[in-house]
Amino acid sequence: MKKFLFLLCSIVMMHVQAHAQDQNFYIFLCFGQSNMEGNARPEAQDLTSPGPRFLLMPAVDFPDKGRKMGEWCEASAPLCRPNTGLTPADWFGRTMVASTPDNIKIGVIHVAIGGIDIKGFLPDSIPSYIKKAPSWMKGMLEAYDNNPYERLVTLAKKAQKDGVIKGILMHQGETNTGDPKWAGMVQQVYDRLCGDLKLKPEEVNLYVGNIVQANGQGVCIGCKKQIDELPQTIHTCQVISSDDCTNGPDRLHFDAAGYRELGCRYAEAVARHLGFEPKRPHIDMPKKIEVPADAVTVENAIPGNEFPKIDKERRAYFSIEAPQARKVVVDICNKKYDMQPDGKGGFMAVTDPLPVGFHYYFMEVNGVRFIDPASETYFGCNREAGGLEVPEGPEGDYYRPQVGVPAGQVRSIYYHSPNSKIGEWRHALVYTPAEYEKGKKRYPVLYLQHGMGEGETSWALQGKMQHIMDNAIAKGEAVPMIVVMESGDIKAPFNFAGGGSNQQGRSEYGASFYPVLLNDLIPYIDSNFRTKADRENRAMAGLSWGGHQTLDIVLNNLDKFAWMGTFSGAIFGLDVKTAYDGVFADADAFNKKIHYFYMNWGSDDFVKGQPLVDSLREMGIKVDASESAGTGHEFLTWRRGLNAFIKHLFKK
C-alpha cells in the first residue's frame, strides 16, 4: 500500500511539473565578457519593452527598475546589471519574438563581466581566478557572489521549471586573444553547462559571436580566427558573423547599431535552427547626413577641426563625437536641430539656410548645454558661446583684413576704478591705429560699447571692429582714432522681474558703469595714451543696450562728448520733448554741441529706430540714419552701422 501511495504521489508530481513547464517558453543562456555585457549607451528604441513575449530573469537585483534576481520580468535594456549598456541579447530577443508564432515566449538569463577570462566561467578555475582578478573587476564579480558560472546555472535550473532551454549564447574571447587553450576551455564550459542542466548538446547549440573587426583595425582582430575555428572543437557550435557590424571609437566594443545588428544575427541563426523563418523587427536606422563637396570649414572652427561647415546654400553642418549620449541638439539663433546619430558614436546636424553674418550657437547633450569643442568661443548670451560666421561675398571685405592694409593693434588693459561699486580692477580693450607707433601725434577717441549679455571683447571678436577701422583709415574714409571698449556692467542679464527701470535716462541696468567711464576710464585713457583730451575729440557709440548707455551718458555730459551713435539702440520710454532735461527742445543749441548723431538698425530687427528718428527730426534735431537690409538684431547690422558712423567722426 505504501509503495502504491508513493508511486501515485510521484505520478502526480511529475504531472504537476510537466504541466507547469511551458514547452513554448524558449529560454536562452547568455554569458561572456564586455560585448555580451553591453558597452553602448541604450537609445530610445532600446529602452521600451517589446511586450510580455520577451522576458528576462535578472541575475542581479535592479532596484531602480523594480527587478529582483530570479524573477521573470519584461526585458528591456539594460539586461545585464544596472549601469551596463546595450547587449546583443536585447535585439536577439526582439528578433526571436518577431520570428516565432505568437504562442511562443522568449526568455534570457544574462551573466557577463567586462574583461573576464574564460577561466572565470570554469568551475574548477574560478577560485584561483577570483584571487588574481584585477581590482576594477572585483565589484562585478561580487555581484555574482564571486562565481558567475554558479549564478548562471542556479538561475537556469530555476528557469527550467518554467520553460525549455533552447540555446546558449556566448560572446567572449577578446581577453583570451591568441590563447591556444581557449577553444578547449570553451568546450569545458559548454560541456559542464550541458551536464549540470541535463541538456542534450544536439538540441542546445552554442552560438558564439565574433569580435569587433573595425575594417581590420579591431583591437582584438587576432581573436577572429580562433573564434571562426571554434566549430572544429565543438561540433554543435555556430559562429555569428560580425562582418560590417559598426563599432565605437575604441575599436573594441560595438556601438548601439552594431549590437542591434549582431543581436539580430544571433536570432536569425537560432530561428533557422528551430525551423522558423527569421523576421527582423523595425529598427530606427541612423539618418545619414550628406555634406556637399562645396561645403567649407567656417572661420570660427578651431584649427585642426573639419566642422562646422557651411555650404553654398548657407546651410551649416555640425559634427560631434558623443558615444555615451542619448540625445544631442545644436541650438543656433534660438532654433534647435536634433543631431542624428551615425551609429558609431558620432552625431551630425544640418541647419536650414542661415542669414549671412555672425551667429552664436550651443550644443546640448542629454539636456546639458555646452560649447561645441570645435568652435572658438565668444562672450555672448551672458556666457561664453560657440560662434559661426556665415560669409558674405565681396561686399563684406570692409570687415575683413586686407593684404597691404596697415594693421592697428588691439591692446588689453587693466585699470583701477575707485568708482566701481566695490572698488576693483577692470578690464578694457583699446584699439590704436597702425600709425600710432610711428610718432608723437595725438588722436581722438571713440568709446564703443557692446550690448546686453556681451563683453568688452565682443566688438573685436564678433564685430571685427579692428578690420573695419584699418580698412576705413587706409582708404582715407575715416580719420585715425583710438577706440576703447569696456564691459559696461552689462554682461549679466537685466532683471526685468526685479522692478528696476529700463526707461531712457532712468536706467538701473548698466548705470553703475556711468561714473566708472567718466571718472576712471576716460582719465586713464587720457593719461596713458596720446589722446586729444577734450569734448571735440571724444565720441561714444554702442549697439543695443550699449546704445541705451550712449544716450544716457552723452546727453547728460555734453561737456565731454561731441559725437554719438547707436546701432539697434535699446531706447525705451523716450519723450523727445522732455528727455534729459529737455536737451532736444532747443534744436539749434543741440546741433551745435553734437557734431554728428547717427542711428542704424536692421530691416528684420526687433528694435526699430525710425519712429525715434522721425520724432527727433520733427524737433529739428540733425540725426543721420540707415537701415541694414536683410539683417536683424545681429553683428552684421552693427558692423555696417559702425562702418558708416566712423566715416563722419572728428570731421568738421
Side-chain angles (χ1 to χ4, degrees):
M1 185 66 179
K2 291 182 179 179
K3 290 183 178 180
F4 174 78
L5 290 174
F6 176 79
L7 179 62
L8 180 62
C9 289
S10 298
I11 293 172
V12 170
M13 289 299 297
M14 289 175 62
H15 175 76
V16 170
Q17 289 177 354
H19 178 75
Q21 187 184 58
D22 184 353
Q23 297 296 309
N24 290 323
F25 186 12
Y26 294 176
I27 298 168
F28 298 87
L29 310 183
C30 307
F31 78 98
Q33 58 185 102
S34 57
N35 272 315
M36 180 57 78
E37 181 183 66
N39 186 263
R41 176 77 65 178
E43 297 174 358
Q45 60 183 320
D46 310 309
L47 296 172
T48 56
S49 166
R53 289 185 56 209
F54 180 28
L55 302 177
L56 167 71
M57 179 179 280
V60 298
D61 290 336
F62 282 68
D64 291 345
K65 281 184 167 285
R67 297 176 182 175
K68 292 186 178 181
M69 181 179 68
E71 296 183 8
W72 291 110
C73 61
E74 290 190 8
S76 62
L79 300 182
C80 187
R81 297 186 309 279
N83 302 316
T84 56
L86 189 66
T87 164
D90 282 287
W91 285 82
F92 163 78
R94 293 167 188 263
T95 306
M96 287 298 297
V97 166
S99 303
T100 54
D102 291 345
N103 64 325
I104 291 177
K105 294 186 299 184
I106 305 299
V108 294
I109 300 171
H110 198 284
V111 175
I113 296 176
I116 195 168
D117 191 291
I118 192 63
K119 294 176 183 177
F121 289 99
L122 272 174
D124 297 337
S125 302
I126 289 173
S128 60
Y129 181 77
I130 298 296
K131 292 179 181 179
K132 299 178 182 179
S135 58
W136 53 264
M137 191 185 291
K138 298 290 188 183
M140 294 184 281
L141 289 166
E142 289 171 359
Y144 303 113
D145 291 333
N146 289 317
N147 197 326
Y149 176 86
E150 183 62 31
R151 179 66 56 85
L152 184 63
V153 169
T154 298
L155 296 180
K157 288 180 178 178
K158 183 177 182 180
Q160 283 179 307
K161 298 176 182 178
D162 303 315
V164 182
I165 295 175
K166 290 288 187 176
I168 300 172
L169 279 55
M170 183 183 93
H171 200 289
Q172 198 279 333
E174 292 95 331
T175 297
N176 295 90
T177 299
D179 186 347
K181 298 180 180 180
W182 177 77
M185 289 187 284
V186 173
Q187 182 176 26
Q188 290 180 53
V189 176
Y190 176 61
D191 290 347
R192 187 67 178 263
L193 282 170
C194 290
D196 288 344
L197 298 173
K198 297 180 173 54
L199 304 174
K200 296 179 180 180
E202 292 76 14
E203 297 177 358
V204 183
N205 278 4
L206 175 65
Y207 300 90
V208 180
N210 223 314
I211 45 78
V212 165
Q213 297 187 46
N215 297 318
Q217 300 300 311
V219 172
C220 297
I221 193 66
C223 188
K224 182 179 184 302
K225 184 174 183 292
Q226 68 188 45
I227 293 176
D228 285 336
E229 294 176 350
L230 190 58
Q232 298 175 18
T233 301
I234 305 172
H235 73 280
T236 54
C237 171
Q238 184 170 343
V239 175
I240 308 303
S241 171
S242 63
D243 291 357
D244 301 320
C245 287
T246 53
N247 55 273
D250 62 2
R251 294 182 289 111
L252 178 62
H253 299 99
F254 298 99
D255 59 18
Y259 283 119
R260 294 187 195 106
E261 177 62 28
L262 190 62
C264 289
R265 293 180 186 181
Y266 270 105
E268 288 167 344
V270 172
R272 291 190 185 97
H273 178 73
L274 297 177
F276 301 108
E277 183 65 28
K279 295 179 182 178
R280 290 197 176 196
H282 172 75
I283 300 177
D284 292 331
M285 300 302 291
K287 297 177 182 178
K288 187 175 183 181
I289 295 176
E290 298 290 345
V291 182
D294 62 49
V296 296
T297 303
V298 300
E299 66 177 67
N300 318 84
I302 295 174
N305 289 277
E306 183 181 1
F307 291 89
K309 286 188 168 185
I310 293 285
D311 67 15
K312 65 179 181 181
E313 303 297 328
R314 303 198 309 273
R315 291 186 296 258
Y317 299 81
F318 299 89
S319 177
I320 191 169
E321 291 294 321
Q324 301 300 314
R326 296 180 183 177
K327 183 178 178 65
V328 184
V329 172
V330 60
D331 181 343
I332 180 168
C333 306
N334 294 316
K335 183 171 183 179
K336 294 187 177 183
Y337 298 87
D338 288 334
M339 299 189 74
Q340 303 300 324
D342 62 8
K344 299 181 180 180
F347 290 79
M348 286 194 69
V350 57
T351 69
D352 298 328
L354 298 170
V356 293
F358 177 87
H359 306 282
Y360 298 112
Y361 77 96
F362 299 92
M363 287 184 172
E364 295 178 6
V365 171
N366 300 339
V368 179
R369 174 170 281 206
F370 69 101
I371 304 170
D372 180 0
S375 172
E376 298 284 6
T377 57
Y378 304 84
F379 194 87
C381 309
N382 310 114
R383 57 170 291 179
E384 294 291 346
L388 184 78
E389 184 76 26
V390 181
E392 284 192 287
E395 68 274 17
D397 285 348
Y398 72 92
Y399 59 76
R400 300 183 181 114
Q402 302 294 319
V403 175
V405 171
Q409 297 182 11
V410 178
R411 310 180 184 206
S412 174
I413 66 163
Y414 287 87
Y415 68 100
H416 193 259
S417 173
N419 288 283
S420 289
K421 288 182 178 179
I422 58 174
E424 60 182 7
W425 286 94
R426 297 178 66 103
H427 182 232
L429 297 185
V430 179
Y431 166 85
T432 54
E435 65 178 46
Y436 184 84
E437 306 302 318
K438 299 178 181 179
K440 297 181 179 180
K441 178 181 175 181
R442 292 187 174 273
Y443 296 87
V445 183
L446 166 63
Y447 289 86
L448 184 63
Q449 291 304 117
H450 57 83
M452 179 187 296
E454 293 166 335
E456 64 272 26
T457 61
S458 298
W459 265 112
L461 297 180
Q462 294 96 296
K464 300 181 181 291
M465 171 279 311
Q466 63 272 34
H467 306 315
I468 295 173
M469 297 300 304
D470 289 341
N471 291 327
I473 292 170
K475 291 180 179 180
E477 296 174 343
V479 302
M481 68 186 80
I482 294 171
V483 182
V484 181
M485 295 151 284
E486 224 265 21
S487 73
D489 295 344
I490 56 174
K491 284 187 172 182
F494 177 71
N495 181 16
F496 289 97
S501 173
N502 66 351
Q503 290 190 341
Q504 205 73 36
R506 295 192 294 274
S507 307
E508 293 185 16
Y509 178 64
S512 57
F513 174 60
Y514 302 170
V516 172
L517 173 69
L518 297 170
N519 302 318
D520 299 323
L521 182 56
I522 290 177
Y524 177 88
I525 296 298
D526 288 341
S527 296
N528 290 275
F529 291 85
R530 298 195 311 275
T531 67
K532 294 180 178 180
D534 57 60
R535 70 174 302 274
E536 296 295 315
N537 291 285
R538 191 178 296 126
M540 186 171 182
L543 68 89
S544 194
W545 202 269
H548 184 118
Q549 291 181 307
T550 295
L551 262 67
D552 277 3
I553 292 173
V554 172
L555 297 179
N556 282 314
N557 297 277
L558 289 174
D559 60 324
K560 293 181 173 62
F561 298 91
W563 317 78
M564 62 186 293
T566 68
F567 318 118
S568 302
I571 301 167
F572 310 109
L574 187 66
D575 182 344
V576 295
K577 295 179 180 180
T578 61
Y580 302 107
D581 297 324
V583 70
F584 299 121
D586 187 342
D588 289 339
F590 179 87
N591 293 335
K592 288 179 181 178
K593 290 182 178 179
I594 295 296
H595 302 321
Y596 185 67
F597 182 9
Y598 172 78
M599 298 176 68
N600 101 310
W601 57 89
S603 61
D604 301 326
D605 211 323
F606 64 81
V607 174
K608 296 288 187 180
Q610 192 64 55
L612 179 57
V613 169
D614 293 342
S615 297
L616 290 169
R617 287 174 175 171
E618 288 177 5
M619 296 283 290
I621 301 298
K622 292 180 181 180
V623 54
D624 198 2
S626 64
E627 183 176 85
S628 171
T631 62
H633 205 70
E634 59 188 272
F635 263 101
L636 187 52
T637 298
W638 308 326
R639 292 173 189 169
R640 291 172 177 175
L642 178 64
N643 190 46
F645 177 60
I646 60 174
K647 295 174 182 178
H648 297 271
L649 290 185
F650 311 119
K651 297 178 180 179
K652 296 182 182 179

